[in-house]
Amino acid sequence: MMKRSVIDITDLSREEIDGLMRTADDIIENPGKYAHICAGKKLATLFFEPSTRTRMSFEAAMYELGGAVLSMTDAATSSASKGESVSDTAKVISCYADIISMRHPKEGAALVAANAASIPVINAGDGGHCHPTQTLADLLTIKREKGRLGSLTVGLCGDLKFGRTVHSLIQALSRYEDIRIVLISPDELRLPDYVYNDVIVKNKMKCTQTSDLLWALPMLDVLYMTRVQKERFFNEEDYLRLKDSYILTPEKLSHAKPDTAVLHPLPRVNEISVAIDDDPRACYFKQVKYGKYMRMALILKLLQESGAVKEDV
Ligand code: NCD
């Protein structure tokens, strides 16, 4: 049996991601089959950075698999505030739980925890680096809404510099055929060179960069809106200047195709007008549900691989 962690979306092959989507579809169809499959097992959620939805999504996922949850929600009241290292925390929690999901403000922290832990670790976001389970939610949403994951024009709009969900999503989409990426951001918030060169250029992805959302809208099959990541800015002035760069309104959306899927990892601040919530193209609340199902599929897979849960469903 092997302990396997998921830190980056590249820790999963395309076949494995497709398998997780099949499991999620099966969970949606047959929830009863999975309701007790992780009985007696424990997920520890270690969140060193504020989060409601991602932590609760992991917790709901484990409960719906019949397992239990140990939760550390506030780094300020945990041993981290006494100076305990991430490695030591991971070793200690390995004695209590069967699997860890962890969010941390520092890039690389989840990898440090995974190297120290004796149980699987799932990265629930490490600084501006990556966020693989949000990407699993995004992929299932695109697959279920568009019926496919290839031959799509995907626009990513907003804070492409600090938005970790964008970095993981581009990485995942690079494995599917005939994807065209349209990067829509102000100059200061463009995609970091390391993602542009190592993912887009290296995989010869078709890609256009623009700061003009209205110009890009008519060609998009999927529009992925993002929040300007206030907490990663060095000064308040820059944040205030850039925070409302793009606001998707019904008027703007009227320039999009009638079946463009609008996604957002949430939380939304101002990027999407609430007037769009009832438009059939708005997929961001369904995306939240799909995220829970993909986390269920991933927790189950890693617990089966580590031997904590029997293989057959
Ligand atoms: C995203 C994150 O944490 O990176 N949110 C999430 O996972 N629900 C996006 C964001 O915070 O803007």
Side-chain angles (χ1 to χ4, degrees), residues 127-305:
H129 184 220
C130 50
H131 192 352
T133 62
Q134 181 62 47
T135 299
L136 295 177
D138 302 341
L139 293 175
L140 185 65
T141 310
I142 297 173
K143 176 86 192 305
R144 287 182 68 106
E145 290 299 312
K146 306 304 300 175
R148 61 186 192 279
L149 271 168
S151 304
L152 289 169
T153 300
V154 181
L156 299 133
C157 177
D159 187 348
L160 310 186
K161 181 178 181 184
F162 297 115
R164 54 193 171 193
T165 64
V166 168
H167 307 161
S168 294
L169 181 56
I170 293 175
Q171 178 71 256
L173 288 173
S174 73
R175 281 135 158 217
Y176 293 87
E177 291 78 36
D178 195 23
I179 297 282
R180 175 185 291 278
I181 298 284
V182 184
L183 301 171
I184 308 155
S185 72
D187 265 0
E188 293 99 319
L189 297 179
R190 279 162 75 141
L191 195 71
D193 284 347
Y194 82 91
V195 186
Y196 191 81
N197 293 328
D198 296 356
V199 186
I200 294 187
V201 175
K202 199 166 156 199
N203 293 294
K204 302 191 176 67
M205 295 177 85
K206 285 177 253 164
C207 178
T208 313
Q209 303 209 47
T210 178
S211 55
D212 189 347
L213 174 60
L214 268 191
W215 173 80
L217 258 176
M219 65 176 113
L220 305 180
D221 298 306
V222 175
L223 170 61
Y224 192 90
M225 295 296 293
T226 61
R227 171 179 73 90
V228 176
Q229 305 278 301
K230 182 178 183 190
E231 64 277 35
R232 309 206 197 285
F233 273 73
F234 294 110
N235 76 67
E236 175 94 9
E237 229 171 85
D238 286 349
Y239 169 71
L240 293 174
R241 187 166 45 81
L242 293 167
K243 75 181 175 57
D244 292 330
S245 299
Y246 301 101
I247 300 178
L248 188 64
T249 57
E251 201 283 312
K252 282 189 194 149
L253 194 60
S254 69
H255 296 263
K257 295 185 192 179
D259 62 348
T260 298
V262 180
L263 277 67
H264 189 306
L266 303 182
R268 144 175 76 182
V269 183
N270 259 337
E271 313 76 50
I272 303 181
S273 149
V274 290
I276 285 177
D277 294 358
D278 294 327
D279 189 295
R281 290 170 286 189
C283 297
Y284 28 94
F285 292 116
K286 284 190 222 170
Q287 198 179 347
V288 175
K289 274 211 165 155
Y290 294 145
K292 181 187 69 180
Y293 295 120
M294 284 305 265
R295 292 186 175 105
M296 288 173 76
L298 181 63
I299 291 170
L300 179 58
K301 177 181 168 63
L302 298 182
L303 286 179
Q304 285 174 329
E305 287 184 7

Side-chain angles (χ1 to χ4, degrees), residues 54-81:
T54 304
R55 180 176 56 78
M56 284 196 180
S57 176
F58 271 104
E59 296 182 358
M62 191 55 168
Y63 284 124
E64 288 188 33
L65 291 166
V69 173
L70 304 171
S71 194
M72 187 203 88
T73 53
D74 181 5
T77 58
S78 78
S79 297
S81 67

